[in-house]
Amino acid sequence: MTLNSKIPEGPLSEKWTKHKFDLKLVNPANKRKYTVIVVGTGLAGASAASSLAEMGYNVKAFSYHESPRRAHSIAAQGGINAAKNYPNDGDSIFRLFYDTIKGGDYRSREANVYRLAEVSNNIIDQCVAQGVPFAREYGGLLDNRSFGGAQVSRTFYARGQTGQQLLLGAYSSLVRQMNTGKVKFHPRHDMLDIVKVDGHAKGIITRNLINGKVEAHAADAVILATGGYGNVFFLSTNAMACNATAAWRAHKKGAFFANPSFTQIHPTCIPVSSDHQSKLTLMSESLRNDGRIWVPKKAGDDRKAKDIPEDERDYYLERLYPSFGNLVPRDVASRRAKEMCDKGFGVGATKLAVYLDFEDVIERNGKQWVVEKYGNLFDMYKQITGEDPYTVPMRIYPAVHYTMGGVWVDYNLETTVDGLFVLGEANFSDHGANRLGASALMQGLADGYYVIPYTIGNYLASQAGGSVSVDDPAFKDALDETNNFINKLMSVKGDRTIDDIHKELGKIMWENVGMARNEAGLKKAIDLIPKLKDEFWSNVRIPGKANAMNTELEKAARLADFLELGELMARDALHREESCGGHFREEHQTEENEALRNDNDFTFVSAWAYQDGAQEPVLHKEDLIFENVKLTSRSYK
């Protein structure tokens, strides 16, 4: 199959403007004839649902939470990028575009990334109009701070609660449309399948999480905005309920899955402390603005941080990357932290941590200055660890955070299934092999507020509104398929808990498909995961009933998808014989242990097609064409 990305012709800076003019339109009177399903009501989903309803479409919004305010977007801490250049330090739309392309190690589409940079400024204006309380300077102007991978300050923030405040802004817009009746919100519904009619996505199958009822819902188009799949590793910075089911079920219905091996390891997380942990906690990348990362110069040094004098500390990021220092991109900072710990310089009881120290900034600006900028993050750290980061350094270590891979979409955010669109982290489109900090919020809101309202109209203009209902035989078939899947799960009656199997999968993934990968480890994962999948389907124990509230059944259904997705991630990583961004193959690195790309053979998007049964997935390639940036080895020195 030829992948048509539908990138418009013309100069980079004119593509989006030209494309918007060329798209088909639905006139205002006809919009009320169309219904759109939006699955997920985080930043991408809430902004899309509210925008489409404001335009006149009927929207059915679904969330497995009881309120959109519970979406994992709330957990984003540090900020949102935009190219407004308020600090007058040399930023521009093209510089944001270039930093994003470079930060993603030249594995993303130029056209998508430029559009993202282009609409970034509108997002800030939109959010300010909604009342989002961005930090401001003394004179009242919006403040900015720096993030990794950039030498300018372009990140707008609300202390360490930026995601929460942006979500409340999108939520307020969504609630307004709920009150007008244009959005019908379905809380506590888990999407379990896509329904296709004549090859087009025309509905979904859900399970009501309160009473267990499996239901069909019809529409003229379907949008998925369901986040990433980092919980395939079990331990990650994601909320425990974050899952890949919506995206994976769409994949099994014909939507290609792109770059699944591109997973991001965040360098600034509270280290693992116990085998009983269910998730990891992120300390915002914004802390690297003022915190200094270091380890003792002497391996195995067990002294307390305050007892190690300055000349016996190795501020290794500042030493290795003098131009960017502690603000190198996440993949670089993560690998260097692992390298330091592997060489015996780690700190803390497990020796799997490095210091993030605020002594200098507190001495320079005073404790109150730090409290005003990062106070809630410091409080969070103290509550979890029992240590006061105002007086002792934080201990941090890399952890699974964000997934750059996802469902393949074209320039219109449409998948290989007609009428199925995917937004935000659930798609693959904008970040390449590594996401720069503060760009996730930017992409989610760009997709929801400024891209999908235009591009979905191009699809709907060719469809007859309301032409499909749940009486179509395709919906009965999908309902039967879903009920059979649930009954199969409930009939296993094994001995192992879901979390036990999930933890085993996470261990396989972290050890073999984690921060550093090699051929032997990836082949081992490809061998072990199907065996664990067989163990799951023969020996898992799911208590309770299917036709009632059953959180264990929810987890089991999601784990079934993670087991399949984990194998695809390993296959993708094995096939990509290079290192780039978050995908680090030990066989492909420079003498300085930096990622070594293979631009001759791997300058493409890996888009995998699902095959039924035991057949291996089929790889399709979308070649990446770079006309505006030169492919060079990333350097942050």
Side-chain angles (χ1 to χ4, degrees):
M1 178 178 180
T2 300
L3 286 173
N4 182 5
S5 59
K6 299 180 183 176
I7 296 173
E9 300 292 331
L12 187 65
S13 61
E14 299 174 13
K15 286 182 186 292
W16 179 230
T17 300
K18 178 181 183 299
H19 190 63
K20 286 189 290 185
F21 180 78
D22 292 339
L23 291 170
K24 297 175 185 176
L25 299 176
V26 178
N27 81 54
N30 284 340
K31 286 188 173 74
R32 66 176 68 99
K33 300 177 182 178
Y34 293 96
T35 299
V36 179
I37 283 175
V38 178
V39 184
T41 50
L43 281 181
S47 58
S50 59
S51 297
L52 294 173
E54 183 76 38
M55 295 168 70
Y57 295 107
N58 303 299
V59 177
K60 298 177 182 178
F62 293 82
S63 173
Y64 58 67
H65 294 301
E66 71 279 6
S67 167
R69 291 175 297 175
R70 291 286 305 280
H72 189 59
S73 301
I74 200 172
Q77 298 167 343
I80 177 171
N81 288 330
K84 282 187 172 290
N85 194 31
Y86 284 169
N88 196 29
D89 57 359
D91 203 10
S92 65
I93 289 172
F94 191 87
R95 188 177 295 278
L96 175 52
F97 155 77
Y98 177 77
D99 286 347
T100 305
I101 289 282
K102 177 184 175 183
D105 221 349
Y106 305 93
R107 290 295 177 261
S108 49
R109 286 192 201 128
E110 282 193 340
N112 282 69
V113 176
Y114 191 88
R115 176 175 65 187
L116 179 63
E118 188 178 356
V119 304
S120 66
N121 293 337
N122 302 92
I123 296 171
I124 303 304
D125 296 337
Q126 167 88 354
C127 294
V128 169
Q130 290 173 333
V132 173
F134 286 123
R136 294 179 181 269
E137 296 176 337
Y138 179 76
L141 299 176
L142 296 181
D143 195 14
N144 291 107
R145 58 188 177 199
S146 299
F147 258 64
Q151 291 180 301
V152 297
S153 294
R154 63 162 68 102
T155 303
F156 296 78
Y157 64 97
R159 293 186 79 184
Q161 307 168 354
T162 313
Q164 179 183 25
Q165 299 303 325
L166 291 173
L167 184 61
L168 289 173
Y171 170 73
S172 66
S173 297
L174 182 60
V175 169
R176 178 175 181 272
Q177 295 305 321
M178 290 182 196
N179 289 331
T180 67
K182 295 301 290 182
V183 173
K184 184 176 181 181
F185 180 57
H186 297 263
R188 303 293 287 152
H189 279 66
D190 205 6
M191 195 211 93
L192 296 181
D193 209 355
I194 293 287
V195 182
K196 288 166 55 176
V197 178
D198 296 328
H200 291 246
K202 293 297 181 184
I204 63 173
I205 303 298
T206 64
R207 180 176 179 272
N208 186 314
L209 299 180
I210 301 298
N211 58 27
K213 185 178 179 182
V214 177
E215 303 166 328
H217 307 269
D220 299 294
V222 176
I223 294 172
L224 303 184
T226 50
Y229 49 90
N231 277 353
V232 69
F233 291 88
F234 187 75
L235 284 179
S236 81
T237 65
N238 292 322
M240 290 182 66
C242 292
N243 64 88
T245 288
W248 192 251
R249 303 294 171 88
H251 173 55
K252 295 176 79 167
K253 283 296 178 72
F256 288 3
F257 210 98
N259 297 339
S261 64
F262 287 176
T263 55
Q264 181 167 82
I265 311 297
H266 197 294
T268 320
C269 299
I270 298 178
V272 176
S273 61
S274 165
D275 290 338
H276 301 293
Q277 277 184 260
S278 56
K279 73 176 300 294
L280 298 173
T281 302
L282 175 70
M283 288 287 100
S284 170
E285 181 178 323
S286 63
L287 294 173
R288 291 199 275 147
N289 273 279
D290 296 296
R292 301 179 70 192
I293 294 172
W294 64 275
V295 293
K297 288 183 177 180
K298 180 183 177 182
D301 193 333
D302 290 326
R303 288 177 294 173
K304 294 180 179 180
K306 64 179 181 180
D307 296 330
I308 301 176
E310 188 74 12
D311 61 355
E312 295 181 34
R313 301 178 178 187
D314 181 10
Y315 295 92
Y316 58 89
L317 291 179
E318 298 173 32
R319 170 173 57 82
L320 294 169
Y321 308 100
S323 294
F324 283 75
N326 295 296
L327 287 173
V328 292
R330 292 173 176 177
D331 60 317
V332 177
S334 294
R335 284 197 294 274
R336 295 292 81 80
K338 180 180 185 297
E339 181 179 76
M340 289 296 163
C341 293
D342 288 348
K343 290 181 177 180
F345 297 99
V347 301
T350 65
K351 300 300 182 184
L352 291 177
V354 298
Y355 287 129
L356 178 60
D357 196 336
F358 295 88
E359 182 180 15
D360 283 1
V361 69
I362 291 173
E363 184 175 328
R364 184 171 62 250
N365 294 339
K367 178 180 176 181
Q368 186 57 35
W369 186 92
V370 177
V371 170
E372 292 173 359
K373 210 159 191 177
Y374 307 113
N376 63 304
L377 298 171
F378 278 54
D379 292 343
M380 186 190 311
Y381 184 87
K382 184 176 181 179
Q383 288 173 5
I384 292 171
T385 67
E387 297 180 349
D388 180 5
Y390 294 107
T391 58
V392 297
M394 291 182 181
R395 291 193 308 276
I396 58 170
Y397 192 71
V400 174
H401 179 55
Y402 188 91
T403 50
M404 286 75 66
V407 180
W408 184 91
V409 294
D410 61 20
Y411 191 69
N412 292 331
L413 305 184
E414 189 171 12
T415 71
T416 46
V417 174
D418 292 334
L420 177 63
F421 298 80
V422 180
L423 315 185
E425 188 179 359
N427 75 33
F428 88 102
S429 63
D430 291 357
H431 305 297
N434 174 63
R435 177 178 66 79
L436 292 184
S439 288
L441 304 181
M442 177 173 60
Q443 186 211 350
L445 292 180
D447 286 355
Y449 282 137
Y450 295 106
V451 179
I452 197 65
Y454 284 96
T455 60
I456 200 170
N458 185 67
Y459 169 77
L460 292 173
S462 64
Q463 304 293 304
S467 61
V468 175
S469 75
V470 294
D471 295 327
D472 191 285
F475 284 86
K476 182 182 183 303
D477 292 343
L479 280 168
D480 290 343
E481 187 177 335
T482 299
N483 280 314
N484 290 338
F485 170 78
I486 292 172
N487 291 335
K488 182 181 177 182
L489 276 175
M490 295 299 298
S491 68
V492 176
K493 308 297 184 184
D495 297 322
R496 295 186 63 181
T497 66
I498 297 151
D499 284 350
D500 184 41
I501 297 175
H502 197 170
K503 286 179 181 179
E504 185 173 342
L505 172 64
K507 185 176 181 181
I508 293 170
M509 294 297 297
W510 180 250
E511 291 180 353
N512 300 288
V513 200
M515 224 187 312
R517 301 142 179 196
N518 56 56
E519 181 179 2
L522 292 169
K523 288 182 176 178
K524 181 179 179 182
I526 293 170
D527 177 62
L528 290 176
I529 294 173
K531 294 176 181 177
L532 185 61
K533 180 182 173 183
D534 291 342
E535 169 75 0
F536 169 81
W537 282 106
S538 64
N539 198 28
V540 73
R541 182 177 74 246
I542 305 173
K545 299 178 180 180
N547 59 347
M549 180 182 288
N550 191 334
T551 55
E552 292 301 294
L553 175 58
E554 294 172 38
K555 291 195 297 184
R558 294 164 184 171
L559 179 54
D561 298 321
F562 279 140
L563 285 161
E564 296 178 351
L565 174 56
E567 183 180 351
L568 182 63
M569 292 169 65
R571 289 188 182 279
D572 185 53
L574 180 64
H575 178 269
R576 187 168 284 273
E577 290 278 1
E578 65 166 354
S579 291
C580 56
H583 167 64
F584 190 76
R585 285 285 298 270
E586 293 175 347
E587 304 94 330
H588 305 288
Q589 56 183 304
T590 68
E591 292 181 359
E592 298 174 325
N593 304 119
E594 302 287 3
L596 183 61
R597 293 197 321 270
N598 180 351
D599 293 331
N600 291 329
D601 299 319
F602 290 96
T603 309
F604 60 79
V605 176
S606 300
W608 296 89
Y610 180 80
Q611 301 293 299
D612 287 328
Q615 301 178 71
E616 292 185 7
V618 175
L619 174 63
H620 300 267
K621 300 177 182 179
E622 178 201 339
D623 290 333
L624 293 171
I625 309 299
F626 292 93
E627 300 173 329
N628 299 275
V629 298
K630 183 180 179 181
L631 292 173
T632 59
S633 296
R634 283 196 305 168
S635 175
Y636 292 96
K637 297 184 177 182

